[in-house]
């Protein structure tokens, strides 16, 4: 089946630094990639939808200048958390739209100290 | 009001029991419906799609009532491995994005 490879699986960074998370679709072309965030004991909240070759569409309340999304190719989408703060600590997960439905990456646990 | 609402639980049931989860959605234009399961600190995985006619996959049965905007999941003869958080998910007509409920946590006890 379809696979989305997400890296890193976990990262600890200092407050004020930036972190890049990558999602690669390994055996399909993900023209659309969804980025979610999940806080402890809460559900997945959609942050933004990225389409290959165009600007991402952000959900209400998500700062586009803080969460930079790049989807330059059909197999790679990246999310950069800029100037991270402790409140950005969360589980970030991507999902690619494939021929059969939706395939999720394995998630990135970000801790900002 | 949340677009997709579930009882967060937790549900603690003995092995072999039957357990039922309910979910309601607010957008009448919702088109596709799913149940996902999520293990702790893992990505969600599709359990089954839900159709108006109802569908069954082994011990799992899902039902959709469009008039009431209500979705259910029934697990029979529960196993220890069924312990997880169960997420009710919908998409809207024409929209590709998935909208998740807050999830219902289930623990099966030996």
């Amino acid at each position: 089946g379809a696979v989305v490879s997400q890296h890193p699986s976990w990262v600890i960074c200092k407050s004020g630094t930036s972190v890049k998370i990558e999602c690669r679709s390994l055996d399909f072309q993900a023209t659309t990639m969804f980025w979610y965030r999940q806080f402890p004991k809460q559900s997945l909240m959609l942050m933004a939808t990225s389409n290959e070759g165009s600007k991402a569409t952000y959900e209400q309340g998500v700062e586009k200048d803080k969460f930079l999304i790049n989807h330059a190719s059909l197999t790679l989408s990246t999310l950069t958390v800029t100037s991270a703060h402790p409140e950005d600590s969360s589980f970030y997960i991507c999902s690619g739209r494939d021929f059969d439905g939706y395939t999720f990456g394995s998630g990135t646990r970000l801790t900002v100290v | 009001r949340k677009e997709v609402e579930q009882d967060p639980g937790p549900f603690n049931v003995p092995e072999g029991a039957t357990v039922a989860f309910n979910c309601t959605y607010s957008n009448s234009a919702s088109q596709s419906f799913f149940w996902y399961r999520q293990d702790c600190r893992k990505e969600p995985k599709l359990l089954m799609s839900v159709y108006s006619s109802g569908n069954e996959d082994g011990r799992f049965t899902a039902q959709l009532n469009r008039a009431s905007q209500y979705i259910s999941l029934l697990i029979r003869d529960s196993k220890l491995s069924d312990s997880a958080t169960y997420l009710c998910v919908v998409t809207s007509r024409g929209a590709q994005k998935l909208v998740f409920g807050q999830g219902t946590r289930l623990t099966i006890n030996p």
Side-chain angles (χ1 to χ4, degrees), chain B residues 49-91:
Chain B
S49 301
V50 190
Y51 306 110
S52 296
S53 55
N55 49 306
E56 186 174 315
D57 182 3
R59 299 181 292 109
F60 300 84
T61 302
Q63 294 276 357
L64 166 65
N65 184 320
R66 284 188 181 271
S68 303
Q69 295 181 198
Y70 170 91
I71 306 162
S72 67
L73 176 68
L74 185 75
I75 305 176
R76 292 182 300 278
D77 187 25
S78 54
K79 311 290 184 190
L80 296 176
S81 57
D82 294 334
S83 296
T85 295
Y86 289 82
L87 301 163
C88 178
V89 186
V90 307
T91 66

Side-chain angles (χ1 to χ4, degrees), chain A residues 31-32 34 36 38 41-46 49 51 59 91 93 95 97 102 104-107 109, chain B residues 6 34 36 38 40-46 87-88 91 95-103 105:
Chain A
T31 53
T32 301
F34 303 95
Y36 294 87
Q38 185 177 32
K41 297 188 179 180
Q42 294 186 28
S43 192
L44 281 75
M45 296 299 296
L46 182 66
T49 303
N51 294 293
E59 296 298 303
F91 186 62
I93 190 163
S95 173
R97 187 83 165 92
Y102 302 83
F104 286 83
S106 54
R109 189 158 302 278
Chain B
Q6 295 179 247
F34 310 93
Y36 277 74
Q38 185 178 25
C40 190
R41 296 173 180 264
K42 299 283 188 181
E43 74 274 23
K45 297 195 174 176
L46 179 64
L87 301 163
C88 178
T91 66
Q96 298 184 67
K97 63 182 184 181
L98 300 175
V99 180
F100 287 80
Q102 69 265 44
R105 188 169 175 187

